[in-house]
Amino acid sequence: MARAEAWLAEDPDADTRAELAALIAAGDTAELTARFAGTLQFGTAGLRGELGAGPLRMNRSVVIRAAAGLAAYLKKQGTPHGDDTAGLVVIGYDARHKSADFARDTAAVMTGAGLRAAVLPRPLPTPVLAFAVRHLGAVAGVEVTASHNPPRDNGYKVYLGDGSQIVPPADAQIAAEIDAITTLTAVPRPDTGWETLGEDVLEAYLARTDAVLAQGSPRTARTVYTAMHGVGKETLLAAFARAGFPAPALVAEQADPDPDFPTVAFPNPEEPGAMDLAFAKARETGPDLVIANDPDADRCAAAVKDGADWRMLRGDEVGALLAAHLVARGAHGTFAESIVSSSLLGRIAGKAGLPYEETLTGFKWIARVEGLRYGYEEALGYCVDPEGVRDKDGITAALLITELASRLKEEGRTLLDLLDDLAVEHGLHATDQLSVRVQDLSLIADAMRRLREQPPTALAGLPVTRAEDLTQGTEELPPTDGLRYTLDGARVIVRPSGTEPKLKCYLEVVVPVADRAGLTAAREKAAGLLAAIKRDLSAAAGI
């Protein structure tokens, strides 16, 4: 109660002050404990959590502390500061509740710390912020977003001067500086002094998208597009118009920003039901392709007509299609992916004689691969222009998959035909995920402990030939909280999500295919194996 009252005394936000005052007046110790039993931990994903009052929620007080800690870290790194040589911090934000407030607070804190701050002109896709960090020569960038989390959440993502997200040890060093902020009264927050950027930064981003497409390539594919109530629509439409693609047919109910995401349970194209309105629009308009962004437009989903109806392509399928397209265009450089993504990318790169690397989960790792030309991970994230955006980018990925669909359309073929080609050439790589959302985070820790103490010796009747605890790290990978099982013709990785209260298990089976006639049987075999692995893994983990 004392901590809550002290917090209330310096809370700058009338909304959270009223919320907290009501809890104190009601003596609601259970709810106060849920908010004051610790602090949101700053890590390699920055901060993400539910909006509300207190140190275990996302609010202006927490953001001001985070910004002050980041500013202190930047100055200790030798970032120049002074009237004319101050390091620049660029700040972007999405259209969620409180995002604009958090962006302004961050700009004020940076200015008060003697750094320069520049805020993007309005809510824009996260990749525009990642681009701006490199384009403007900033020492850091901040994006206020909770990406595809539920409407009650918000978050705070930090980029350093190379335009990629923070990795250890920077996360721990920033966290230590945040912990050192004992009171908000010690954090100067002037009312003016930062810059609001103009449209030229967005124009520079759009001009860079020209580099994504091949000169003179077909631009004929017709699309349906949903922004999933996020900030992607204007930027994607401008990029498509610039490229000369037909204007996408919009899912009107989801086209404009709405922080309440009224038409979806979770604003993530991967979640059940999230694409229903897009599929309805596709049935009505008969496009070649359905494109979806998540709310901050750093992810891109694609769906195709499969038989009588539409289906979402898995992130691994789009990842392989884009890789094959880039290889066909003569791309050079390293192809990279996270360890939870399909091993098919390695086969494609190897056949093309291109370097290939696996990294830990997250674009903070993929973006740092030396000589990167293309990177992806299965959660709908694709980096197709690493010189422009050193992060996943749902706008440029949408351009590239639409270019591929256009090329195939000119040949009288589809994306599914190309997937069949890849299966015959490299074996059918089928992936799936066992994902468990929890209210009680201890359930995730219990499942990980159970698997460590009693690792499975076989899954779906396939012997586990190798079991690795990734907390120890490997020759190629730094330590992470995860488990990897190699089976005869399959692979399983288990890890807690870094951004949501989920335990995630990533499954892959590889079935050889002699020719196209064998594809149906191979798919049936793969589906059976994946279902059996899910069942056995679920039992082994107790989930």
Side-chain angles (χ1 to χ4, degrees):
M1 192 65 79
R3 289 186 66 199
E5 287 172 346
W7 186 276
L8 177 64
E10 58 177 31
D11 188 336
D13 189 322
D15 293 338
T16 45
R17 273 203 315 275
E19 179 186 315
L20 186 52
L23 292 173
I24 292 171
D28 190 340
T29 53
E31 190 59 33
L32 289 170
T33 298
R35 293 155 183 265
F36 285 88
T39 58
L40 275 185
Q41 292 304 298
F42 187 93
T44 51
L47 293 167
R48 201 176 287 188
E50 187 176 342
L51 289 162
L56 275 170
R57 297 287 185 268
M58 282 297 297
N59 51 65
R60 291 183 61 196
S61 297
V62 163
V63 164
I64 290 165
R65 284 175 168 82
L70 174 60
Y73 166 82
L74 292 171
K75 292 171 78 168
K76 283 188 178 176
Q77 296 303 302
T79 301
H81 54 283
D83 290 336
D84 299 315
T85 58
L88 172 66
V89 179
V90 189
I91 301 148
Y93 58 103
D94 66 11
R96 284 177 178 266
H97 294 296
K98 299 290 181 183
S99 285
D101 294 339
F102 294 168
R104 280 193 297 271
D105 283 330
T106 301
V109 170
M110 295 301 163
T111 303
L115 298 162
R116 289 167 54 219
V119 183
L120 293 183
R122 62 180 183 280
L124 286 167
T126 292
V128 177
L129 181 277
F131 167 82
V133 173
R134 292 168 64 81
H135 177 66
L136 298 174
V139 297
V142 171
E143 176 71 16
V144 180
T145 181
S147 190
H148 56 277
N149 275 39
R152 64 178 180 274
D153 290 0
N154 213 327
Y156 199 80
K157 185 184 287 190
V158 175
Y159 296 78
L160 292 181
D162 61 355
S164 53
Q165 297 173 52
I166 52 169
V167 295
D171 57 343
Q173 292 167 350
I174 295 169
E177 298 292 347
I178 295 171
D179 290 343
I181 310 296
T182 55
T183 171
L184 295 190
T185 57
V187 180
R189 285 183 290 132
D191 292 329
T192 59
W194 59 88
E195 176 187 357
T196 299
L197 294 167
E199 294 299 311
D200 51 337
V201 68
L202 179 59
E203 284 304 313
Y205 169 83
L206 289 170
R208 178 72 208 179
T209 64
D210 295 346
V212 172
L213 303 177
Q215 214 166 4
S217 62
R219 312 280 168 93
T220 56
R222 293 170 52 250
T223 55
V224 159
Y225 172 70
T226 175
M228 206 67 68
H229 299 296
V231 298
K233 180 188 78 172
E234 288 184 12
T235 305
L236 182 129
L237 290 181
F240 269 54
R242 186 184 183 95
F245 287 115
L250 299 179
V251 179
E253 302 94 327
Q254 299 174 334
D256 296 318
D258 186 332
D260 293 320
F261 306 106
T263 68
V264 290
F266 292 96
N268 178 354
E270 293 180 296
E271 293 283 348
M275 295 290 286
D276 286 356
L277 289 171
F279 292 161
K281 187 72 175 179
R283 293 181 201 110
E284 176 192 320
T285 59
D288 300 297
L289 188 64
V290 174
I291 297 286
N293 286 139
D294 67 338
D296 69 326
D298 63 350
R299 288 172 169 82
C300 175
V304 294
K305 187 83 174 289
D306 189 0
D309 210 352
W310 290 81
R311 79 164 174 94
M312 269 269 292
L313 293 174
R314 301 191 69 84
D316 284 316
E317 291 177 311
V318 174
L321 288 168
L322 293 178
H325 183 44
L326 289 170
V327 165
R329 280 180 27 183
H332 295 285
T334 301
F335 280 31
E337 64 180 339
S338 62
I339 57 172
V340 300
S341 304
S342 171
S343 59
L344 177 55
L345 183 68
R347 304 260 183 115
I348 293 170
K351 182 81 179 286
L354 295 174
Y356 164 76
E357 280 196 36
E358 279 190 320
T359 73
L360 292 184
T361 308
F363 267 82
K364 57 186 174 282
W365 299 108
I366 295 170
R368 286 180 159 73
V369 167
E370 195 169 335
L372 181 68
R373 174 59 187 89
Y374 169 64
Y376 99 91
E377 67 178 6
E378 54 74 44
L380 309 183
Y382 312 94
C383 175
V384 302
D385 177 28
E387 291 306 307
V389 176
R390 197 63 62 89
D391 196 10
K392 56 184 176 290
D393 182 345
I395 305 296
T396 50
L399 288 171
L400 196 63
I401 194 71
T402 308
E403 179 186 58
L404 173 57
S406 298
R407 191 197 86 198
L408 292 166
K409 183 179 181 179
E410 299 294 295
E411 299 169 0
R413 284 158 37 87
T414 68
L415 295 173
L416 293 180
D417 292 323
L418 181 52
L419 284 173
D420 287 350
D421 292 348
L422 293 172
V424 172
E425 186 173 3
H426 303 290
L428 176 70
H429 289 62
T431 59
D432 202 353
Q433 192 179 122
L434 173 62
S435 181
V436 182
R437 185 182 294 271
V438 300
Q439 294 291 327
D440 180 358
L441 289 176
S442 70
L443 296 174
I444 293 176
D446 289 345
M448 294 297 287
R449 187 180 65 252
R450 188 178 290 111
L451 288 170
R452 285 190 169 104
E453 290 173 355
Q454 294 180 294
T457 56
L459 296 167
L462 302 174
V464 175
T465 57
R466 189 178 183 194
E468 298 169 274
D469 187 340
L470 299 177
T471 53
Q472 310 303 312
T474 71
E475 285 186 18
E476 301 83 22
L477 301 170
T480 188
D481 185 8
L483 300 164
R484 178 163 61 182
Y485 304 113
T486 304
L487 297 89
D488 185 13
R491 183 216 64 198
V492 173
I493 292 173
V494 184
R495 60 179 282 273
S497 169
T499 56
E500 298 178 89
K502 282 183 175 181
L503 181 68
K504 290 188 166 184
C505 309
Y506 304 84
L507 324 175
E508 179 177 43
V509 298
V510 182
V511 179
V513 185
D515 51 36
R516 295 177 83 87
L519 280 168
T520 300
R523 288 201 171 95
E524 288 173 358
K525 180 179 179 181
L529 283 170
L530 287 169
I533 291 173
K534 260 190 189 180
R535 182 193 64 230
D536 293 354
L537 184 63
S538 180
I543 53 175

